[in-house]
Amino acid sequence: MSVQERKQRQRTERERLIVATARELAEAQGWDAVTTRRLAERIEYSQPVLYSHFRGKREIIGAVALEGATEMALAVRAATAAADGPRARVTALARAYLDFAELNPAVYDAIFQLDGGLAYAREDTPEPLKDAFAALLESLGEVAGDGVHPGLFTEVFWAALHGLVTLTRAGRLPPEDTGARVELLVNRLAVL
């Protein structure tokens, strides 16, 4: 291995460490606890080293969002692949989405709530975000109904799921009724 290859590998490992540490700190204490100074202390590198990888917290949030979008797409695809039939796939998708948000609240916030400097719903949207939407579209497109654009239907269904996540997390909806809400959403919105 050349010196340049070794340096690049070390750089990549440092970036992963920064992102993993930011994610861990955000999940434990919230995003307000994630500062470049605290990250530098935790990863045992100086702040200038951290800044050589990311220009600041916004870019770190963006990196966490991209990593999280990839994980969410994998979770949704795994859940829907195990389901038999359109209704079961849509139900599995909804549950996987809600479970991901519940198990990874800081990552969910990085993807959907915080400014990570990422473009959404545009030509220059990063591939992991496009793929996360595609993971939803794969199952939801088949139940959009005649004359309904599959992408538009997916956006509306996704918005409903996002609303359930944010309202439940904010204490506006009782969590014990989440299953009933999912069934209502699947049975009333999707054409099955």
Side-chain angles (χ1 to χ4, degrees):
M1 173 181 302
S2 73
V3 172
Q4 188 169 354
E5 289 172 330
R6 182 179 50 77
K7 285 183 179 184
Q8 182 56 44
R9 188 184 79 234
Q10 290 171 337
R11 180 173 177 74
T12 301
E13 288 171 4
R14 270 193 313 272
E15 278 186 19
R16 283 189 197 127
L17 178 62
I18 293 166
V19 171
T21 304
R23 191 174 166 163
E24 177 185 300
L25 189 56
E27 291 292 2
Q29 299 178 31
W31 278 104
D32 287 342
V34 180
T35 65
T36 53
R37 192 175 108 230
R38 287 186 81 184
L39 283 174
E41 288 171 2
R42 284 204 173 199
I43 64 171
E44 298 178 346
Y45 283 99
S46 67
Q47 281 184 294
V49 169
L50 193 140
Y51 282 116
S52 74
H53 292 275
F54 299 99
R55 286 184 290 209
K57 182 176 176 178
R58 182 178 186 218
E59 282 189 6
I60 294 168
I61 290 169
V64 170
L66 294 177
E67 186 177 275
T70 298
E71 292 170 9
M72 187 179 77
L74 288 170
V76 166
R77 285 189 175 110
T80 57
D84 186 30
R87 179 184 307 276
R89 276 190 292 281
V90 174
T91 301
L93 176 148
R95 288 190 175 134
Y97 184 95
L98 296 173
D99 288 348
F100 179 86
E102 183 179 352
L103 295 171
N104 306 282
V107 173
Y108 187 86
D109 286 348
I111 301 169
F112 298 115
Q113 302 283 95
L114 301 174
D115 179 10
L118 303 173
Y120 286 80
R122 297 191 336 215
E123 192 71 29
D124 59 339
T125 298
E127 202 54 45
L129 298 177
K130 288 180 182 179
D131 189 53
F133 184 79
L136 301 175
L137 180 63
E138 289 162 11
S139 292
L140 294 171
E142 70 179 319
V143 298
D146 293 337
V148 177
H149 188 279
L152 185 61
F153 178 77
T154 299
E155 290 171 352
V156 171
F157 199 94
W158 169 34
L161 290 174
H162 180 69
L164 290 176
V165 168
T166 56
L167 291 170
T168 302
R169 283 176 56 189
R172 305 297 196 272
L173 297 174
E176 62 271 11
D177 295 331
T178 298
R181 287 187 198 95
V182 167
E183 290 304 317
L184 184 63
L185 184 61
V186 170
N187 292 328
R188 299 293 183 183
L189 194 55
V191 177
L192 302 166

